[in-house]
Amino acid sequence: APMETPVGLQTLRLPMGADLTDPIPLVVSDLPLTLEATTENNSADKAQLLAVPSGLNGRIESDADVDYYAFEAKKGESLTFEIIARRQRSSLDSHLRVLNEKGQQLAVNDDARQGKRTHSDSWIENWTAPADGKYWLEVRDVHLRGGAAFPYFLTVQRSAPYFELYMDTDKTQVTPGGCGVI
């Protein structure tokens, strides 16, 4: 993407020789980027180590594929994990879990809810590490599907305060010639 492209979800036409491509959905990030390792990462003992913060380009390669990533956290550290897939036209309906060293589930998310909107991407916000140590993220398709059409972008970052405002304007009742407050 061109350097002046703003961070976030974008749909861009990129140069291809003298022409431009059809619009391509992209995630533009200012996080340190990592690619999913080409070695197997289908179990916690083969998990790919991730730095905090980071953004990872991955894919659920085949049916029943599960990707594992390991990260270090200190007790009380608050982290946010997000999968961006379906919002950028991936076929992945993500399922995200945080596990401890014993394989016990500490957090899980299937469908994220932001404001009044729910979408098929996963988001675990403000997860707090219960102790110093190593933890694992497990990424899979909720229906255990996979293949070339199942890419995702995983963000791992320290939680930070933010504010978002959502307006539900589709229910404002206005009669012909009338007005309404939004």
Side-chain angles (χ1 to χ4, degrees), residues 58-81:
R59 179 171 48 214
I60 299 300
E61 300 285 341
S62 60
D63 289 350
D65 184 21
V66 179
D67 291 344
Y68 285 87
Y69 302 99
F71 65 94
E72 298 279 341
K74 300 283 185 197
K75 181 178 182 174
E77 187 175 16
S78 182
L79 301 173
T80 295
F81 313 100

Short mmCIF file of all heavy atoms in Angstrom, two decimals, residues 58-81:
data_model
loop_
_atom_site.label_atom_id
_atom_site.label_comp_id
_atom_site.label_asym_id
_atom_site.label_seq_id
_atom_site.Cartn_x
_atom_site.Cartn_y
_atom_site.Cartn_z
N GLY A 58 -1.74 -14.43 8.81
CA GLY A 58 -1.82 -15.89 8.86
C GLY A 58 -2.94 -16.41 7.99
O GLY A 58 -3.69 -15.66 7.37
N ARG A 59 -3.03 -17.74 7.96
CA ARG A 59 -4.12 -18.38 7.21
C ARG A 59 -4.40 -19.75 7.82
O ARG A 59 -3.49 -20.46 8.22
CB ARG A 59 -3.74 -18.55 5.74
CG ARG A 59 -4.85 -19.24 4.96
CD ARG A 59 -4.66 -19.27 3.47
NE ARG A 59 -3.33 -19.71 3.10
CZ ARG A 59 -2.67 -19.24 2.03
NH1 ARG A 59 -3.20 -18.32 1.28
NH2 ARG A 59 -1.48 -19.69 1.75
N ILE A 60 -5.68 -20.08 7.89
CA ILE A 60 -6.08 -21.43 8.26
C ILE A 60 -5.96 -22.23 6.97
O ILE A 60 -6.76 -22.10 6.06
CB ILE A 60 -7.51 -21.45 8.84
CG1 ILE A 60 -7.59 -20.58 10.10
CG2 ILE A 60 -7.96 -22.88 9.13
CD1 ILE A 60 -6.67 -21.01 11.23
N GLU A 61 -4.90 -23.02 6.89
CA GLU A 61 -4.46 -23.66 5.64
C GLU A 61 -5.40 -24.72 5.09
O GLU A 61 -5.53 -24.87 3.89
CB GLU A 61 -3.08 -24.29 5.82
CG GLU A 61 -2.00 -23.31 6.23
CD GLU A 61 -1.54 -22.43 5.09
OE1 GLU A 61 -1.77 -22.77 3.91
OE2 GLU A 61 -0.95 -21.38 5.38
N SER A 62 -6.03 -25.47 5.99
CA SER A 62 -6.85 -26.60 5.53
C SER A 62 -7.92 -26.90 6.57
O SER A 62 -7.89 -26.36 7.68
CB SER A 62 -5.96 -27.84 5.32
OG SER A 62 -5.34 -28.18 6.55
N ASP A 63 -8.85 -27.75 6.20
CA ASP A 63 -9.88 -28.15 7.15
C ASP A 63 -9.22 -28.71 8.41
O ASP A 63 -8.22 -29.43 8.33
CB ASP A 63 -10.80 -29.21 6.54
CG ASP A 63 -11.69 -28.64 5.45
OD1 ASP A 63 -11.74 -27.39 5.30
OD2 ASP A 63 -12.34 -29.43 4.74
N ALA A 64 -9.76 -28.38 9.56
CA ALA A 64 -9.31 -28.83 10.88
C ALA A 64 -7.97 -28.23 11.30
O ALA A 64 -7.42 -28.60 12.32
CB ALA A 64 -9.25 -30.36 10.97
N ASP A 65 -7.42 -27.26 10.54
CA ASP A 65 -6.18 -26.58 10.93
C ASP A 65 -6.46 -25.68 12.12
O ASP A 65 -7.47 -24.99 12.17
CB ASP A 65 -5.64 -25.75 9.75
CG ASP A 65 -4.30 -25.09 10.05
OD1 ASP A 65 -3.58 -25.55 10.95
OD2 ASP A 65 -3.98 -24.10 9.36
N VAL A 66 -5.56 -25.69 13.09
CA VAL A 66 -5.61 -24.81 14.25
C VAL A 66 -4.23 -24.20 14.38
O VAL A 66 -3.23 -24.92 14.35
CB VAL A 66 -5.99 -25.60 15.53
CG1 VAL A 66 -6.01 -24.67 16.73
CG2 VAL A 66 -7.33 -26.29 15.37
N ASP A 67 -4.16 -22.88 14.49
CA ASP A 67 -2.87 -22.19 14.61
C ASP A 67 -2.66 -21.77 16.05
O ASP A 67 -3.57 -21.23 16.70
CB ASP A 67 -2.84 -20.95 13.71
CG ASP A 67 -2.81 -21.30 12.23
OD1 ASP A 67 -2.52 -22.47 11.89
OD2 ASP A 67 -3.09 -20.40 11.41
N TYR A 68 -1.42 -22.00 16.55
CA TYR A 68 -1.06 -21.62 17.91
C TYR A 68 0.07 -20.61 17.89
O TYR A 68 1.02 -20.74 17.11
CB TYR A 68 -0.62 -22.84 18.73
CG TYR A 68 -1.74 -23.73 19.16
CD1 TYR A 68 -2.21 -24.74 18.33
CD2 TYR A 68 -2.36 -23.54 20.39
CE1 TYR A 68 -3.26 -25.56 18.71
CE2 TYR A 68 -3.42 -24.36 20.78
CZ TYR A 68 -3.85 -25.36 19.94
OH TYR A 68 -4.90 -26.16 20.31
N TYR A 69 -0.06 -19.60 18.77
CA TYR A 69 0.96 -18.57 18.92
C TYR A 69 1.23 -18.41 20.41
O TYR A 69 0.29 -18.42 21.22
CB TYR A 69 0.49 -17.24 18.32
CG TYR A 69 0.14 -17.39 16.86
CD1 TYR A 69 -1.18 -17.55 16.46
CD2 TYR A 69 1.14 -17.42 15.90
CE1 TYR A 69 -1.50 -17.72 15.13
CE2 TYR A 69 0.83 -17.58 14.56
CZ TYR A 69 -0.50 -17.73 14.18
OH TYR A 69 -0.80 -17.91 12.86
N ALA A 70 2.49 -18.26 20.78
CA ALA A 70 2.87 -18.08 22.18
C ALA A 70 3.32 -16.64 22.40
O ALA A 70 3.86 -16.01 21.49
CB ALA A 70 4.01 -19.04 22.54
N PHE A 71 3.07 -16.13 23.59
CA PHE A 71 3.53 -14.79 23.96
C PHE A 71 3.82 -14.76 25.45
O PHE A 71 3.31 -15.58 26.22
CB PHE A 71 2.49 -13.72 23.58
CG PHE A 71 1.19 -13.83 24.34
CD1 PHE A 71 0.97 -13.11 25.50
CD2 PHE A 71 0.18 -14.68 23.88
CE1 PHE A 71 -0.23 -13.23 26.19
CE2 PHE A 71 -1.01 -14.80 24.56
CZ PHE A 71 -1.22 -14.07 25.72
N GLU A 72 4.67 -13.84 25.84
CA GLU A 72 5.02 -13.65 27.25
C GLU A 72 4.22 -12.48 27.81
O GLU A 72 4.00 -11.48 27.11
CB GLU A 72 6.51 -13.34 27.39
CG GLU A 72 7.43 -14.43 26.90
CD GLU A 72 7.64 -15.55 27.91
OE1 GLU A 72 7.37 -15.32 29.12
OE2 GLU A 72 8.04 -16.64 27.49
N ALA A 73 3.78 -12.60 29.06
CA ALA A 73 3.06 -11.51 29.72
C ALA A 73 3.44 -11.48 31.20
O ALA A 73 3.78 -12.51 31.78
CB ALA A 73 1.56 -11.68 29.56
N LYS A 74 3.38 -10.30 31.77
CA LYS A 74 3.63 -10.10 33.20
C LYS A 74 2.30 -10.02 33.94
O LYS A 74 1.29 -9.57 33.39
CB LYS A 74 4.40 -8.80 33.43
CG LYS A 74 5.74 -8.75 32.74
CD LYS A 74 6.75 -9.55 33.48
CE LYS A 74 8.11 -9.39 32.84
NZ LYS A 74 9.01 -10.43 33.27
N LYS A 75 2.30 -10.43 35.19
CA LYS A 75 1.09 -10.40 36.00
C LYS A 75 0.50 -8.99 35.99
O LYS A 75 1.21 -8.01 36.18
CB LYS A 75 1.40 -10.81 37.45
CG LYS A 75 0.18 -10.81 38.33
CD LYS A 75 0.47 -11.27 39.74
CE LYS A 75 -0.83 -11.27 40.53
NZ LYS A 75 -0.64 -11.83 41.86
N GLY A 76 -0.82 -8.90 35.73
CA GLY A 76 -1.53 -7.63 35.71
C GLY A 76 -1.47 -6.90 34.38
O GLY A 76 -2.17 -5.91 34.20
N GLU A 77 -0.63 -7.37 33.46
CA GLU A 77 -0.55 -6.71 32.15
C GLU A 77 -1.85 -6.96 31.39
O GLU A 77 -2.36 -8.07 31.35
CB GLU A 77 0.64 -7.29 31.37
CG GLU A 77 0.93 -6.60 30.08
CD GLU A 77 2.20 -7.12 29.41
OE1 GLU A 77 2.70 -8.20 29.78
OE2 GLU A 77 2.68 -6.43 28.51
N SER A 78 -2.38 -5.90 30.79
CA SER A 78 -3.66 -5.99 30.07
C SER A 78 -3.40 -5.96 28.57
O SER A 78 -2.77 -5.02 28.07
CB SER A 78 -4.54 -4.82 30.49
OG SER A 78 -5.79 -4.89 29.86
N LEU A 79 -3.89 -6.98 27.87
CA LEU A 79 -3.66 -7.12 26.44
C LEU A 79 -4.97 -7.25 25.68
O LEU A 79 -5.97 -7.71 26.23
CB LEU A 79 -2.79 -8.34 26.15
CG LEU A 79 -1.41 -8.38 26.80
CD1 LEU A 79 -0.74 -9.72 26.57
CD2 LEU A 79 -0.54 -7.25 26.29
N THR A 80 -4.94 -6.85 24.41
CA THR A 80 -6.09 -6.99 23.53
C THR A 80 -5.67 -7.78 22.30
O THR A 80 -4.60 -7.52 21.73
CB THR A 80 -6.64 -5.60 23.13
OG1 THR A 80 -7.13 -4.96 24.31
CG2 THR A 80 -7.77 -5.72 22.12
N PHE A 81 -6.50 -8.74 21.90
CA PHE A 81 -6.23 -9.62 20.75
C PHE A 81 -7.40 -9.46 19.78
O PHE A 81 -8.56 -9.52 20.20
CB PHE A 81 -6.13 -11.08 21.18
CG PHE A 81 -5.26 -11.28 22.39
CD1 PHE A 81 -5.82 -11.42 23.65
CD2 PHE A 81 -3.88 -11.32 22.26
CE1 PHE A 81 -5.02 -11.60 24.77
CE2 PHE A 81 -3.07 -11.50 23.38
CZ PHE A 81 -3.65 -11.64 24.63
#
